[in-house]
Amino acid sequence: MKLIILLFAMLFGFSASVKKSADDMKAISARIELNHYQNYPNMLPEVQVVAYRK
């Protein structure tokens, strides 16, 4: 019985570490993608207000 509990605890620990690694990889890939866009100029359209003031 102790062996089964130990195996479940090890399985739970392993799955928790795999989930943490997957979350870290998602965060790192998002950060890398944002760093790639820092080299590009501002891609937003430029808007000029041409209305007259009253």
Side-chain angles (χ1 to χ4, degrees), residues 5 14 18 37:
I5 293 172
F14 179 72
V18 168
Y37 288 124

Side-chain angles (χ1 to χ4, degrees), residues 48-52:
Q48 295 180 355
V49 177
V50 294
Y52 294 108

Side-chain angles (χ1 to χ4, degrees), residues 2-42:
K2 288 182 182 178
L3 183 63
I4 294 172
I5 293 172
L6 179 64
L7 287 174
F8 277 128
M10 289 176 59
L11 182 64
F12 179 73
F14 179 72
S15 64
S17 68
V18 168
K19 184 179 183 315
K20 174 82 169 104
S21 297
D23 291 343
D24 289 345
M25 287 299 293
K26 284 181 186 177
I28 289 171
S29 65
R31 194 176 321 138
I32 288 172
E33 186 175 351
L34 287 175
N35 285 340
H36 285 296
Y37 288 124
Q38 286 180 350
N39 298 331
Y40 292 108
N42 188 1

